Amino acid sequence: MTKGTVQNQESFLQNIADKLGRERRSSGVTRPDYKHSPQYDILRGATTKEMVDVLKDQCLAIHTDVKETNKAGLERALEEVMEEYEVDKAVAWDDPRFIEYGLETFLQRPNMTIWGSGPDEDNIRITEQAEAGITFSDYTLAESGTVVLMNGGGRGQSVSLLPTYYIAIIPYSTIVPRITQAAGELHRRVEKGERIPSCINFVSGPSNSADIEMNLVVGVHGPVRACYILVDDM
């Protein structure tokens, strides 16, 4: 399949119309203009500091550790988390923001692996044996304490899923009120013709499950602990 092409679109859409028992509508369809849009009212007009406070409160509810720092103190904050979690081996995204935020020396520490530095099979094997995975957040949802990760290339999704611990670096500039704003920005990027990753992860703290009698169990099928490092980059 040629990159960027869509196969069998017409037959697929026609099949849906047939199942709905109506003619195919290919024109005259407009987006509804809703009278009420409460999803935009939550944290409307909130300052960055107010959203940071909401995010921190939500982290308590989702069993996520939080540290706050600025660009100058980011490397030390990372070192403190690594020491607290007793991390020896770690893996990080191949993300230019690590250099932009002054972490070039941090990436050169012993037993630090950069995702994408070898074949995918080796990356996965190394990552599942690492104690910590480290990424930047692309969008951060204050309301739910969620980091949005745009995976692809050197930004493997395994980095946030396979290690024992997960560390998310969250610049203040990535914080938005809720999923409404993040989804809206992704939609605008698509409308402008920008290619976005086919895999976008929404991670809200360490893995957990409440499937058994609604009893919450944390750390059941992924990172057992998570830490968000909030970085004042404003």
Side-chain angles (χ1 to χ4, degrees):
M1 182 187 299
T2 304
K3 184 177 181 180
T5 61
V6 178
Q7 302 292 321
N8 303 315
Q9 176 177 330
E10 294 303 316
S11 60
F12 175 79
L13 294 175
Q14 185 60 53
N15 184 54
I16 293 176
D18 292 341
K19 295 298 183 182
L20 291 173
R22 61 169 173 76
E23 293 294 323
R24 166 89 181 279
R25 298 175 185 171
S26 57
S27 62
V29 179
T30 59
R31 186 182 301 275
D33 183 15
Y34 295 104
K35 181 178 180 181
H36 301 289
S37 299
Q39 68 270 29
Y40 293 105
D41 295 332
I42 298 174
L43 294 176
R44 181 191 292 272
T47 65
T48 297
K49 182 182 183 306
E50 289 169 339
M51 288 193 290
V52 167
D53 289 341
V54 171
L55 175 62
K56 288 162 59 179
D57 288 342
Q58 181 61 20
C59 284
L60 292 176
I62 62 173
H63 307 278
T64 298
D65 300 323
V66 177
K67 279 188 174 292
E68 292 184 84
T69 186
N70 53 28
K71 283 187 175 181
L74 178 54
E75 182 169 359
R76 182 55 196 155
L78 277 166
E79 294 285 357
E80 289 174 355
V81 177
M82 303 275 273
E83 291 170 6
E84 178 183 347
Y85 289 178
E86 297 182 347
V87 171
D88 178 32
K89 299 177 182 178
V91 60
W93 268 358
D94 183 6
D95 188 323
R97 287 176 291 183
F98 280 94
I99 306 303
E100 294 170 10
Y101 281 68
L103 297 175
E104 186 170 10
T105 301
F106 178 81
L107 294 179
Q108 296 170 354
R109 60 178 283 153
N111 294 327
M112 173 66 74
T113 301
I114 307 301
W115 178 272
S117 55
D120 285 348
E121 294 80 5
D122 291 345
N123 285 323
I124 293 173
R125 176 180 53 80
I126 292 170
T127 301
E128 67 184 3
Q129 294 174 358
E131 283 98 21
I134 308 170
T135 78
F136 272 81
S137 176
D138 293 301
Y139 302 99
T140 309
L141 317 183
E143 180 189 44
S144 58
T146 302
V147 294
V148 182
L149 308 179
M150 309 283 282
N151 300 285
R155 301 163 61 157
Q157 64 170 324
S158 295
V159 176
S160 64
L161 297 176
L162 296 183
T164 307
Y165 308 114
Y166 172 53
I167 302 171
I169 302 171
I170 300 177
Y172 280 9
S173 58
T174 69
I175 301 175
V176 297
R178 66 195 310 266
I179 194 172
T180 303
Q181 288 74 26
E185 178 59 25
L186 292 173
H187 182 71
R188 285 188 288 273
R189 291 169 63 175
V190 171
E191 283 190 324
K192 291 191 298 185
E194 181 179 342
R195 290 185 61 84
I196 63 173
S198 59
C199 179
I200 302 175
N201 285 352
F202 292 74
V203 179
S204 302
S207 63
N208 64 80
S209 174
D211 292 340
I212 302 175
E213 297 183 359
M214 295 304 291
N215 290 322
L216 179 66
V217 180
V218 178
V220 290
H221 46 61
V224 300
R225 289 183 70 180
C227 181
Y228 292 172
I229 301 179
L230 311 182
V231 184
D232 186 347
D233 65 336
M234 305 296 283

